[in-house]
Amino acid sequence: QQQVKQSPQSLIVQKGGISIINCAYENTAFDYFPWYQQFPGKGPALLIAIRPDVSEKKEGRFTISFNKSAKQFSLHIMDSQPGDSATYFCAARGGTSYGKLTFGQGTILTVHP
Amino acid sequence: EAQVTQNPRYLITVTGKKLTVTCSQNMNHEYMSWYRQDPGLGLRQIYYSMNVEVTDKGDVPEGYKVSRKEKRNFPLILESPSPNQTSLYFCASSSPRSDMGAGETQYFGPGTRLLVL
């Protein structure tokens, strides 16, 4: 059972464009929503995260938008660059066990120069 | 340098031959976890440990064992590997006391790619 659903599976964007990745969750006990970035051959690394009492968080070109009532959150990458090409995972923490992260399926982002 | 290390990075084995993937962290983190990554499925938690001698099942624990005898180490054991355990495995660690503004960060190792023939 996939408790965090992520879309799209893959995304192609031109340099300078906006990349948008969406996630939806079911468990209202989730209390922390991170996004991880993974480059080929590497482990995932935290990119940006948000708590459900905040509707938006921005760090540089990366923004999380959070809609608690809809149980949805999204990652926006402004001015996308070829170096942003990677796999992105949304995740949600909490539920039945502390520290447990439930991940989305992942989105492969390709930014063309 | 703060890091999570895994060994081996790549492993090819045959069905039924016991193997162990080691994981070590140098950040004095209490929480450690193992995930497997498969295309289209994201990362799924196998087992986790809240602290020394405290372990519990994640979402996909069948066919795996773990132990946590020391705080820094959290090995993953496959007693009798099968082809459906062919995957990319990640170890991660975190601490509830770290303050990253929105909660603690899980630090991931570089991954172990396992092929079971």
Side-chain angles (χ1 to χ4, degrees), chain A residues 25-26 28 52 54-55 66-73:
Chain A
Y25 64 96
E26 300 168 4
T28 55
V54 176
S55 61
F66 188 85
N67 186 330
K68 188 174 181 178
S69 61
K71 293 188 285 186
Q72 296 175 345
F73 58 110

Side-chain angles (χ1 to χ4, degrees), chain B residues 96-113:
Chain B
R97 284 188 292 278
S98 67
D99 179 10
M100 301 301 295
E104 73 280 5
T105 298
Q106 286 205 17
Y107 294 86
F108 282 80
T112 295
R113 189 169 291 280

Side-chain angles (χ1 to χ4, degrees), chain A residues 73-96:
Chain A
F73 58 110
S74 60
L75 176 69
H76 296 238
I77 306 174
M78 311 300 288
D79 187 25
S80 298
Q81 300 296 311
D84 297 331
S85 297
T87 300
Y88 292 81
F89 292 98
C90 63
R93 185 193 72 178
T96 57

Side-chain angles (χ1 to χ4, degrees), chain B residues 10-93:
Chain B
Y10 304 91
L11 181 59
I12 301 174
T13 190
V14 295
T15 299
K17 186 176 182 181
K18 180 180 179 180
L19 66 91
T20 299
V21 183
T22 64
C23 173
S24 182
Q25 50 94 4
N26 63 1
M27 295 169 280
N28 200 36
H29 285 166
E30 292 83 3
Y31 185 91
M32 297 186 74
S33 183
W34 276 103
Y35 296 87
R36 60 178 289 174
Q37 181 177 354
D38 302 289
L41 296 177
L43 293 104
R44 293 177 293 167
Q45 190 182 54
I46 303 170
Y47 268 95
Y48 65 96
S49 170
M50 302 290 285
N51 214 323
V52 175
E53 302 292 1
V54 181
T55 63
D56 206 348
K57 298 177 180 178
D59 295 319
V60 288
E62 295 78 18
Y64 305 94
K65 285 177 57 177
V66 293
S67 68
R68 187 92 181 274
K69 294 183 171 58
E70 303 167 283
K71 196 172 186 180
R72 64 183 291 128
N73 297 322
F74 190 43
L76 179 70
I77 302 157
L78 284 72
E79 294 270 4
S80 182
S82 62
N84 65 12
Q85 292 178 297
T86 292
S87 188
L88 179 58
Y89 291 87
F90 289 100
C91 180
S93 74

Side-chain angles (χ1 to χ4, degrees), chain A residues 2 9 31-32 36 38 41-46 49-51 57 87 89 93 97-106, chain B residues 9 31 35 37 40-43 45 48 50 58-59 88 90 94-96 100-106 108-111:
Chain A
Q2 192 75 34
Q9 279 192 314
D31 64 354
Y32 169 65
Y36 280 80
Q38 183 183 30
K42 304 290 186 182
L46 179 68
I50 197 168
R51 288 200 184 279
K57 182 173 183 180
T87 300
F89 292 98
R93 185 193 72 178
S97 70
Y98 161 82
K100 173 179 168 57
L101 284 177
T102 300
F103 283 85
Q105 298 92 325
Chain B
R9 295 289 313 278
Y31 185 91
Y35 296 87
Q37 181 177 354
L41 296 177
L43 293 104
Q45 190 182 54
Y48 65 96
M50 302 290 285
D59 295 319
L88 179 58
F90 289 100
S94 66
S95 170
M100 301 301 295
E104 73 280 5
T105 298
Q106 286 205 17
F108 282 80

